[in-house]
Amino acid sequence: MNQPETIEEELAIIAEAIEAGIDPFPPKKEESVWVRSSLGWFMIIIIFSWVSQILYRSL
């Protein structure tokens, strides 16, 4: 499917989606606190392992 070139074409596509029962603008999902904290801890562990490898090689 090609990108619409005019606003009218885009509005027609949105209207078809709404008629088909598809929500073209779904609500945003809220970020979970668990996801952010687990990603943070994962990054801390990775950085800690990199630093320890660099220190081990320098000795």
Side-chain angles (χ1 to χ4, degrees), residues 3-38:
Q3 293 291 328
E5 295 183 9
T6 63
I7 294 174
E8 289 82 16
E9 291 176 0
E10 191 168 350
L11 289 174
I13 293 171
I14 292 173
E16 288 176 15
I18 291 173
E19 288 175 5
I22 300 170
D23 186 8
F25 306 106
K28 270 187 150 179
K29 292 183 180 179
E30 294 183 18
E31 284 190 16
S32 172
V33 176
W34 287 101
V35 174
R36 295 182 89 192
S37 61
S38 62

Side-chain angles (χ1 to χ4, degrees), residues 33-51:
V33 176
W34 287 101
V35 174
R36 295 182 89 192
S37 61
S38 62
L39 181 62
W41 279 108
F42 177 74
M43 291 175 66
I44 289 170
I45 291 170
I46 293 296
I47 292 171
F48 183 73
S49 69
W50 288 345
V51 170

